[in-house]
Amino acid sequence: MTSPDDIPPTSLIHVEDPLAAIILKSCRETHCHYCFSEAPADVVFCPLCTIPVYCSRKCQEQAVGGISWNQDTYLESNSNAVDLGILSLTSTRCKATDSKQIAEHRHECGGAHWAAVLPADIVLAGRLMAQYIDSRMLTGKSSAISGPKMDLIQHYDVDSPTSKLESHIYAIVLLSCLQKHYKSDLSWKEETLAQMVLLICQVKVNSIAIVCMKSMDGSQGLTENKGYSAADDGVMCSVEQVKVAQAIYMSGSLFNHSCRPNVHSYFHSRTLFLRSTTYIKSGSPVELSYGPQAGEMNLVKRQKSLQENYKFSCQCSSCSELHLSDLVIDSFCCPRSSCLGAVSESTCYKSEENCVHVSVDESDICKLSLPHVSKVDEDIEKVGKLFFRNNADLKIDPGYCMSCRSQINLSSAVATSEKAASKINRFKELAVIDGISEIPITDALQSLQQIKKLRHPYSKALAQAEDAIAEAFAKIGDQEQARKHCEASIMILKKLYHPKHIAIAHELIKLVSIELSLGDRASAAATFAQAKAIFSLYYGPDVERILPYVDALKRTVSGGFIGAP
């Protein structure tokens, strides 16, 4: 999909409610089964089967039935959204006020409670089929049902025999469960089973994970208005992304994937929002991420994930051109201290057409073109110097430096690095215990030095080690050490991603909380401003709705305490 017009950064491109959605099993007891927000203490149960929990009577009625549908979940005026027509899509966001809402849970009540037992994607397929059945019955059409014919991709032809058999078994089970609910009002056509199998395959490929941002550690206290001051030791804001549900968005599923997306997807309740994060020129592709991103996963892992889940090999700019992050993310450092070259576990060779081939276990994973000379910065040239020489054929085996061909004992380096990382994580776990001795601290710092000697200075393993050390020191009250290691982690992540990536913003929030604990409000304000600018790029005016702790921190760094009268 390409944009026929220029799209500025932070533009709201698309807003859509799901055709169907289902909560994940891991969140069944902690989140509302309709809006997917965290469930309060006084939850409301389904009046028929008492299995689903809801945060309010309204959510219960929308899921079970009994009220009309009313739209009030816009986070901002639709006038701020880019007309979806310029992207050749039809928005499914807008519905007529008080239009008939088909209850999504009613057909699951009673019996053996199959919806609580079957996998989430199978239940989601059942909800789509039930919606199709109910809509036909409401319009008085024949009760002989074949199944919905949705314009969504599926990969049944390339599925394994085991996967195909599983889809057929689940299709039979689903049809049996639906027949039990609808009883004599429903009869199947000959092609119904085949349609249900294809529907299950479509759900597996096209469903989108609904995620929420969960506050951890100090940030949870901030959002609950418990108060915060520079004297609060052991408080470090951190946030993790939690998958709570999956859903089918008919228009949202039409956007292509990129490992360096120019569109950010986020959710408020069940509603999907897509917002541009860079300036998108007319004629350029409009792409979001299906999960794997450059800087978060290396090239081999990204390709494997996309192939397993979506049955395609990514050919985005990050997967077709050599980038710094893929050279360094999981690499080791050259044994020569003066060399910044990266040592990889993969085999890389340069071909005559000026391309780099990456392979693992003699299997060719990807073919990457070398970046244009205008894009070759100092870092990538130092990391992979051999690739930028004029030699036509070049092969770099695992364990050899990409800059000077120095060799390391790769298996020993991997084992030692993993052992050191394990000790650091152990220190992080022990940090919550009062009166921690100096021994774990010394061991953790020695382990960090080991990782620094083995891993590349820009590697993700080193960034994670620095971050774990920072969190541990924050918990035991040594905020100076926490700041030092948090800043080191951020510097690495800026190399792996880019300075305005949302992952950087979340790390900057950690640094803000450390600086506040040190009483350095001026530095905290400056750091917070950097984080807020990045969040605004990704969420626009919805920042404080999606990340409520941001407003709490804003008031704190500006001089007020949370919870103050």
Side-chain angles (χ1 to χ4, degrees), residues 530-551:
Q530 296 177 49
K532 182 66 182 297
I534 298 173
F535 284 141
S536 296
L537 182 63
Y538 282 76
Y539 297 109
D542 301 336
V543 174
E544 293 169 7
R545 295 289 298 272
I546 306 300
L547 305 171
Y549 71 90
V550 170
D551 180 58

Side-chain angles (χ1 to χ4, degrees), residues 11-285:
S11 296
L12 186 60
I13 293 177
H14 183 49
V15 183
E16 182 179 2
D17 282 325
L19 184 61
I22 182 68
I23 195 165
L24 299 183
K25 290 185 182 295
S26 59
C27 299
R28 290 184 66 88
E29 297 181 0
T30 58
H31 289 71
C32 173
H33 287 217
Y34 185 80
C35 72
F36 309 128
S37 60
E38 289 193 31
D42 53 339
V43 297
V44 180
F45 292 94
C46 170
L48 302 177
C49 67
T50 70
I51 290 181
V53 297
Y54 303 101
C55 65
S56 65
R57 185 71 62 184
K58 178 179 179 181
C59 282
Q60 179 213 54
E61 291 174 337
Q62 286 180 303
V64 180
I67 66 169
S68 296
W69 193 90
N70 185 40
Q71 178 55 49
D72 60 357
T73 57
Y74 276 104
L75 297 190
E76 59 179 279
S77 171
N78 231 12
S79 62
N80 294 330
V82 174
D83 183 359
L84 206 56
I86 69 171
L87 299 178
S88 301
L89 290 176
T90 301
S91 174
T92 57
R93 177 68 180 95
C94 299
K95 299 181 181 180
T97 303
D98 295 325
S99 63
K100 181 69 175 179
Q101 172 75 6
I102 295 175
E104 66 179 12
H105 168 66
R106 183 182 297 166
H107 66 281
E108 298 164 355
C109 290
H113 305 306
W114 55 270
V117 178
L118 296 177
D121 53 351
I122 304 303
V123 180
L124 184 57
R127 289 190 170 187
L128 289 167
M129 177 62 91
Q131 186 180 99
Y132 171 75
I133 295 170
D134 288 341
S135 64
R136 287 180 62 86
M137 289 183 171
L138 285 172
T139 55
K141 294 182 179 179
S142 170
S143 60
I145 302 297
S146 58
K149 295 179 175 61
M150 299 189 298
D151 188 20
L152 294 174
I153 194 171
Q154 48 82 19
H155 297 296
Y156 179 83
D157 292 341
V158 296
D159 279 346
S160 67
T162 300
S163 180
K164 289 180 179 178
L165 176 61
E166 182 182 83
S167 296
H168 279 264
I169 293 173
Y170 279 132
I172 294 170
V173 171
L174 270 182
L175 291 177
S176 176
C177 292
L178 290 170
Q179 183 71 64
K180 184 173 182 179
H181 171 73
Y182 290 102
K183 298 182 173 62
S184 60
D185 294 334
L186 187 66
S187 62
W188 308 114
K189 292 184 178 180
E190 292 183 1
E191 67 268 24
T192 303
L193 179 60
Q195 285 294 333
M196 179 60 87
V197 170
L198 290 180
L199 179 61
I200 290 173
C201 293
Q202 288 175 320
V203 167
K204 289 181 177 180
V205 175
N206 294 278
S207 65
I208 296 176
I210 297 177
V211 300
C212 67
M213 306 307 296
K214 183 178 180 181
S215 301
M216 308 294 290
D217 301 324
S219 54
Q220 183 65 37
L222 289 173
T223 58
E224 292 175 357
N225 293 330
K226 291 181 178 178
Y228 187 94
S229 72
D232 289 332
D233 288 334
V235 177
M236 182 171 174
C237 290
S238 63
V239 177
E240 67 176 14
Q241 186 170 271
V242 179
K243 293 181 181 180
V244 295
Q246 65 185 87
I248 292 293
Y249 297 91
M250 292 299 293
S251 296
S253 65
L254 299 180
F255 286 81
N256 288 331
H257 164 82
S258 173
C259 295
R260 287 187 185 272
N262 51 18
V263 169
H264 177 61
S265 61
Y266 60 95
F267 302 86
H268 180 253
S269 181
R270 302 158 64 95
T271 306
L272 168 68
F273 292 80
L274 299 180
R275 191 177 295 276
S276 60
T277 57
T278 62
Y279 185 85
I280 305 176
K281 293 183 179 179
S282 174
S284 299

